[in-house]
């Protein structure tokens, strides 16, 4: 898939200085390696293509779910469906398991939530302190 399939915008690019900074950080100052301009430009083209591919897939997923906003879950699902599960954010996976890992039952979680709502309502109704 190329960006021409998504509207033909040949102006899609990433900032060269930002990409160069990322490359420099990865290679390190002491490595003695350099990254040629043509290699950097190719990396930029590949990165734009990758972003376009993932965005397009995530958009299709969101549309199938009748959503008007592409959410992080849509990106995660797109990455998995396109064969890039290793790029799915581990922190997102950990966050989704936080409730499961709490060790609390659904009733206990509901009780905590109701208490927090009750406390917030009381604080709101008491007015300025």
């Amino acid at each position: 898939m190329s960006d021409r399939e998504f509207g033909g915008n040949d102006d899609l690019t990433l900032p060269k200085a930002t990409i160069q900074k990322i490359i420099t950080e990865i290679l390190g100052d002491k490595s003695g390696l350099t990254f040629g301009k043509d290699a950097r430009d190719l990396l930029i083209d590949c990165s734009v293509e990758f972003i376009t591919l993932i965005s397009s897939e995530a958009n299709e997923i969101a549309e199938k779910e009748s959503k008007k906003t592409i959410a992080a879950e849509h990106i995660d699902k797109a990455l998995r469906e396109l064969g890039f599960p290793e790029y799915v954010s581990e922190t997102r996976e950990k966050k989704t398991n936080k409730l499961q890992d709490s060790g609390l039952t659904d009733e206990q979680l509901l009780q905590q939530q109701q208490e927090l709502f009750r406390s917030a309502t009381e604080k709101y109704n008491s007015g300025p302190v």
Side-chain angles (χ1 to χ4, degrees):
M1 288 185 178
S2 72
D3 56 319
R4 286 169 207 36
E5 294 178 43
F6 303 104
N9 189 349
D10 291 331
D11 296 332
L12 294 176
T13 188
L14 297 170
K16 290 180 181 182
T18 302
I19 300 300
Q20 189 62 50
K21 183 177 179 184
I22 292 169
I23 292 168
T24 303
E25 287 178 12
I26 290 170
L27 292 180
D29 294 332
K30 298 178 183 177
S31 71
L33 296 172
T34 58
F35 210 82
K37 289 181 183 180
D38 56 337
R40 181 198 58 208
D41 292 343
L42 179 59
L43 182 62
I44 289 171
D45 290 344
C46 292
S47 299
V48 168
E49 189 71 23
F50 182 75
I51 292 168
T52 303
L53 177 68
I54 301 302
S55 300
S56 175
E57 185 69 22
N59 183 53
E60 288 179 22
I61 292 167
E63 284 179 350
K64 286 178 187 173
E65 295 177 4
S66 301
K67 303 288 184 181
K68 293 186 177 185
T69 303
I70 297 173
E73 295 82 29
H74 300 127
I75 300 294
D76 287 349
K77 190 171 183 181
L79 286 166
R80 283 189 183 97
E81 288 184 9
L82 291 169
F84 301 105
E86 65 274 14
Y87 292 116
V88 175
S89 172
E90 291 178 20
T91 55
R92 285 200 39 76
E93 289 177 353
K94 288 179 184 175
K95 285 180 184 178
T96 57
N97 293 328
K98 192 173 182 179
L99 287 178
Q100 295 169 345
D101 294 341
S102 71
L104 299 174
T105 65
D106 288 344
E107 292 82 21
Q108 291 171 320
L109 290 168
L110 180 60
Q111 205 171 23
Q112 281 184 355
Q113 182 184 39
Q114 289 172 340
E115 181 55 38
L116 288 169
F117 284 145
R118 197 173 11 263
S119 172
T121 302
E122 288 174 7
K123 187 175 181 180
Y124 176 78
N125 289 335
S126 68
V129 178

